Amino acid sequence: MRTHPIAITLLLTLAALPAGADTSAADLPVTRVTLYTSGVGYFERAGSVSGDAAETLLFPVGQINDVLKSLVMLDTGGGTIQPVTYAAQDSLGRQLQAFSIDLSDNPNRATLLNRLRGAEATVSYTDNGAPVKVTGTIMGVETQTVSLPNNGGVTQQSTLNLVTPDGLISIPMASITAEKLTDPKLNEELNQALTTVAQSRSATKRAVTLNFRGKGSRPVRVGYLTEAPLWQTSYRLVLGAKPVIQGWAMVQNTTQDDWKNVDLSLVSGRPISFIQDLYTPLYVPRPVVQARVQASPTPQTYASDINAKTPEGVNNIVATVQGDNSLVIQDTPAPAMPPSGGFGGGGGFGGGMPGSPSVGGAMFRNRDAAKGESSFADAARHSIASSGAQLGTALFAYQVKTPVDVPRQQSAMIPFLSSGIHVEEVSIYNAAVQTDHPLLGARVKNTTGLHLMGGPLTVFDDNAGSNGYVGDALIDDTEPNQTRILSYAVDQALDAETKPGEGSGDLQSIVISQGTLIATHKERQATIYTFKNHSAKSRTVVVEQPYPGDDWKLLEPKEVTEHTAQLDRFDLAVPAGASKSLTVTREHLENQTYGLLDTGFDDLTVFVNTTHASDAVKAALKDVMARRRHIGDLQRQIDSRKAQLAVIAQGQTRIRDNMKALDHASALYKRYVNELNTQETQLENLQNEIDKLTAERDQRQAELNNFVAKLTVD
């Protein structure tokens, strides 16, 4: 089988591609990682380069946009940063069309040689079994019809036409064993096109090449943001004489790099983060128009906001690049941490082997090993080395002091908090949660000096036996000095009962405002909570009651212990072996409105006779009622006359029907005529009366409407 130089070039290009391993890790290893709770992570690499250097990093295709949006490079040894290059995301066909040799349609050899017309090439072929090599200019490939020997018919034969110093020669394509372009630039174009084809086969990763220019060996740093799993927290709370809280962070290294001796920071908060496609080239359809010469538009300027101010409490972070390309970052100092022990050999509750324990795949180097501890609280105090700092008003960062090792594609549990904390043990009662027993819990004040990100919390008690475990809880985000309540078990030593107390509802006042009567009632409600403490230890019960709103006034007790948007909390001390009750009484004023034009007379009469209405209100109500009665009388007179009209009209219909059968000269017919004349006079008089009564009614109604609309009496 013949092997052509073009095919060999393609195979060599494919063989030179990375096989999926990131060979840059040894040159620029990851030295710093900051994980955020917004789904991104900041990764910083540091290392040394010498002279003009190019470092290639491989990234998953889905992370390229984040890298392009956030990449930062520093050459701190006097060098300069050069353009960053990366594989284009354009379609393969469009990329190949950019080369002088078009391979976008996967041409065969004859088609490719036709596209190389005018190029000089050296062609090796066989002629009657003898090898021949000739150099000339490619004229093209043509297809000829040739006759087969021994009357075998005809066939199509492709022939390369080559212009040589000796003239034009035709070489059958089937006899060619090799072609070689003599133009180095054309050869390079062909190789680059084949390299593009080869790189397009890697569908999962893309290479980003960082270019540095300088002299000698010098340090460089590279930082970028990419998508990263959310880091999560869990806590251990140790109850007892000296309560202790311990925090652990769960992090996942889903990158292709091992984290070795990495400085790790964990940031809580929700900074805005998004993905914008910067990798895929954008092409905008453009219309073809005739060339026109126009004056340049006037540049526009936009004024800044003169009222913009930096909010108090926000740290001003200033990054300055010095003359030597070093980066100086100025920020407000982190708050002082409460004193705590060093990172101990116990590595957690219950002691353990001294040394450097491996926890969840992460190795922590311990610089101050401690002795084994005798209690849960003591063990927890010596299992951490970290500090925290507020970043503005929206973020809080935990800086792990001891470098960590997390192998790639592995997860780790990393301690970020260990501190004494103020805890008040309580029982929490909410009838909507548990009707017959409160829940055991704690009122925790965050005295750690750190922001506590929300998460699960396992509760231990030094007095609870061999393992100390007493329950699980959840805690929300808690700022320094903020107090939160948490519950972890049912308090079966306390029985609880809830029943309604005595309530009431009394009319307080009556006023009239713009034609509306407003009756104010005072409603009082009470709830009685009773607890029986069967234990030998006194309890503080935190009673939670739904907050009804600002319009309800608390009468008993005088004030709440704690208030949230949805709940009021009341503390109740229940001695050991005793029963204790708490009555919560509230009242509020409720207004009921009545329209003076449509409220029934019975209801208005009640308000006239009540002692809660003033004389002026009563007089106004009597006036309105009298006017409405007069209008009602007019309406009744109108209805009466309309009824009479209907009766007369019905009689006239009967008479006219009878008259149709009578002789006009008969006495009965004449009698009917006289009777109709009389009725017509009655109808006319009734209609006149109706018109007068209707006009008077409408006038009286308009007067009443105007009177009521302006009526305001208290």
Side-chain angles (χ1 to χ4, degrees):
M1 182 180 70
R2 297 184 178 92
T3 303
H4 300 288
I6 295 177
I8 294 175
T9 303
L10 177 58
L11 292 175
L12 291 176
T13 304
L14 287 172
L17 286 178
D22 191 348
T23 58
S24 67
D27 299 328
L28 292 177
V30 176
T31 58
R32 182 183 299 276
V33 175
T34 302
L35 300 178
Y36 295 84
T37 52
S38 58
V40 297
Y42 170 76
F43 300 87
E44 186 174 299
R45 297 173 179 267
S48 297
V49 297
S50 181
D52 295 344
E55 298 290 341
T56 300
L57 305 178
L58 293 180
F59 294 98
V61 175
Q63 295 183 358
I64 291 295
N65 285 308
D66 283 331
V67 173
L68 297 180
K69 186 177 67 174
S70 61
L71 181 66
V72 177
M73 297 170 58
L74 293 176
D75 190 328
T76 59
T80 59
I81 303 300
Q82 298 301 301
V84 175
T85 59
Y86 54 93
Q89 180 70 353
D90 217 346
S91 65
L92 178 61
R94 187 181 287 272
Q95 293 181 59
L96 292 176
Q97 290 173 4
F99 296 101
S100 58
I101 303 176
D102 185 6
L103 303 180
S104 60
D105 57 351
N106 190 23
N108 58 31
R109 188 161 54 128
T111 303
L112 180 60
L113 289 174
N114 268 327
R115 292 176 182 176
L116 291 171
R117 294 173 62 193
E120 188 178 81
T122 298
V123 180
S124 299
Y125 64 98
T126 58
D127 187 7
N128 295 323
V132 179
K133 181 181 291 187
V134 63
T135 299
T137 302
I138 298 173
M139 185 175 180
V141 178
E142 65 175 334
T143 300
Q144 300 176 341
T145 301
V146 297
S147 300
L148 295 176
N150 303 321
N151 296 322
V154 295
T155 186
Q156 300 294 318
Q157 176 179 284
S158 296
T159 303
L160 171 64
N161 295 321
L162 198 67
V163 179
T164 69
D166 297 329
L168 177 65
I169 63 174
S170 297
I171 306 171
M173 292 290 294
S175 66
I176 296 176
T177 58
E179 306 103 338
K180 181 179 179 181
L181 299 175
T182 60
D183 186 349
K185 292 185 178 180
L186 201 55
N187 259 323
E188 182 180 358
E189 278 278 304
L190 181 58
N191 288 334
Q192 288 180 355
L194 291 173
T195 300
T196 299
V197 173
Q199 289 179 344
S200 69
R201 298 179 185 272
S202 177
T204 59
K205 292 185 179 180
R206 291 292 186 269
V208 176
T209 302
L210 314 177
N211 297 293
F212 304 89
R213 177 175 294 175
K215 297 180 180 180
S217 179
R218 60 197 187 278
V220 297
R221 293 164 59 194
V222 178
Y224 51 85
L225 287 168
T226 64
E227 184 179 41
L230 300 180
W231 71 278
Q232 302 178 69
T233 58
S234 67
Y235 300 91
R236 290 84 172 119
L237 178 64
V238 183
L239 304 177
K242 296 181 179 180
V244 174
I245 188 170
Q246 184 184 79
W248 293 79
M250 272 62 71
V251 300
Q252 292 83 33
N253 178 8
T254 58
T255 70
Q256 297 301 312
D257 297 281
D258 293 331
W259 296 352
K260 296 181 179 179
N261 203 27
V262 167
D263 291 330
L264 180 64
S265 297
L266 306 172
V267 178
S268 67
R270 294 294 300 276
I272 295 175
S273 181
F274 58 88
I275 298 174
Q276 181 174 347
D277 190 354
L278 302 175
Y279 189 28
T280 304
L282 300 178
Y283 297 93
V284 179
R286 297 177 297 159
V288 178
V289 298
Q290 296 296 326
R292 293 184 296 176
V293 178
Q294 295 181 346
S296 299
T298 303
Q300 302 294 306
T301 60
Y302 300 89
S304 63
D305 183 4
I306 62 175
N307 291 324
K309 296 180 180 179
T310 302
E312 294 183 3
V314 177
N315 293 347
N316 293 320
I317 301 176
V318 181
T320 306
V321 179
Q322 304 296 313
D324 59 356
N325 284 337
S326 62
L327 182 68
V328 176
I329 298 179
Q330 297 174 330
D331 193 2
T332 55
M337 287 292 295
S340 63
F343 178 66
F349 302 135
M353 295 296 294
S356 301
S358 178
V359 182
M363 182 67 72
F364 305 94
R365 278 159 299 285
N366 179 17
R367 299 187 176 94
D368 299 307
K371 298 180 180 180
E373 306 296 343
S374 59
S375 70
F376 297 117
D378 291 334
R381 292 180 192 275
H382 297 282
S383 61
I384 188 62
S386 69
S387 63
Q390 185 77 33
L391 304 181
T393 58
L395 302 178
F396 194 93
Y398 307 91
Q399 177 64 49
V400 179
K401 292 181 179 178
T402 54
V404 300
D405 294 348
V406 183
R408 61 180 177 175
Q409 300 303 320
Q410 291 197 29
S411 302
M413 270 180 59
I414 299 175
F416 69 93
L417 164 68
S418 184
S419 171
I421 192 168
H422 178 79
V423 175
E424 178 189 1
E425 297 183 40
V426 295
S427 297
I428 306 157
Y429 181 73
N430 189 319
V433 176
Q434 186 84 12
T435 58
D436 51 354
H437 296 286
L439 300 179
L440 275 173
R443 179 180 279 128
V444 178
K445 183 176 182 180
N446 182 9
T447 55
T448 66
L450 300 178
H451 167 91
L452 301 182
M453 195 172 78
L457 186 148
T458 302
V459 183
F460 298 84
D461 193 332
D462 269 348
N463 303 316
S466 58
N467 59 18
Y469 169 74
V470 291
D472 290 328
L474 285 173
I475 187 170
D476 288 333
D477 290 354
T478 305
E479 299 296 329
N481 294 319
Q482 186 178 5
T483 298
R484 286 201 182 275
I485 285 181
L486 54 90
S487 60
Y488 55 84
V490 176
D491 190 352
Q492 299 187 47
L494 270 179
D495 293 334
E497 181 188 44
T498 304
K499 62 181 181 180
E502 183 179 351
S504 64
D506 300 324
L507 181 63
Q508 297 296 305
S509 64
I510 298 174
V511 298
I512 298 174
S513 177
Q514 296 180 341
T516 300
L517 184 146
I518 303 173
T520 302
H521 297 265
K522 179 183 290 186
E523 183 179 356
R524 179 172 297 181
Q525 293 181 353
T527 305
I528 302 173
Y529 303 92
T530 303
F531 302 94
K532 171 64 177 179
N533 186 359
H534 297 283
S535 73
K537 181 181 177 181
S538 62
R539 291 281 204 271
T540 297
V541 181
V542 179
V543 178
E544 291 189 332
Q545 187 182 73
Y547 177 61
D550 292 339
D551 55 338
W552 283 86
K553 180 182 179 182
L554 180 64
L555 300 180
E556 182 185 7
K558 295 300 183 182
E559 59 184 16
V560 299
T561 305
E562 293 182 2
H563 170 73
T564 71
Q566 290 81 31
L567 295 170
D568 279 338
R569 296 192 179 109
F570 307 90
D571 282 6
L572 177 66
V574 183
S579 295
K580 197 74 174 290
S581 295
L582 171 71
T583 301
V584 179
T585 305
R586 303 176 188 270
E587 70 176 15
H588 82 137
L589 299 178
E590 182 178 0
N591 293 330
Q592 292 182 321
T593 59
Y594 302 85
L596 296 183
L597 295 178
D598 51 15
T599 300
F601 283 100
D602 290 342
D603 291 333
L604 294 180
T605 301
V606 171
F607 294 129
V608 169
N609 295 330
T610 183
T611 59
H612 297 285
S614 66
D615 292 339
V617 170
K618 293 179 179 181
L621 289 176
K622 291 177 181 179
D623 189 1
V624 170
M625 293 170 67
R627 292 172 184 249
R628 286 180 56 182
R629 287 192 182 95
H630 181 59
I631 294 173
D633 289 341
L634 292 174
Q635 183 63 49
R636 282 189 290 273
Q637 294 180 46
I638 294 173
D639 294 339
S640 174
R641 284 159 177 76
K642 287 183 177 180
Q644 295 178 42
L645 285 177
V647 171
I648 295 174
Q650 184 178 5
Q652 285 186 330
T653 300
R654 178 183 58 81
I655 293 174
R656 289 189 175 93
D657 289 340
N658 293 335
M659 291 175 67
K660 293 178 181 178
L662 297 176
D663 185 359
H664 291 187
S666 65
L668 183 57
Y669 186 87
K670 295 179 180 178
R671 175 185 170 187
Y672 281 156
V673 169
N674 292 331
E675 190 173 345
L676 287 176
N677 289 334
T678 302
Q679 289 179 346
E680 284 298 326
T681 302
Q682 293 175 346
L683 288 174
E684 182 177 355
N685 293 335
L686 287 172
Q687 188 60 52
N688 290 335
E689 292 177 6
I690 290 174
D691 292 341
K692 291 180 180 180
L693 290 171
T694 301
E696 183 179 0
R697 181 205 62 188
D698 293 343
Q699 180 182 353
R700 298 296 185 184
Q701 186 65 53
E703 292 174 352
L704 175 60
N705 292 344
N706 185 58
F707 172 75
V708 168
K710 299 179 181 180
L711 183 60
T712 298
V713 184
D714 54 21

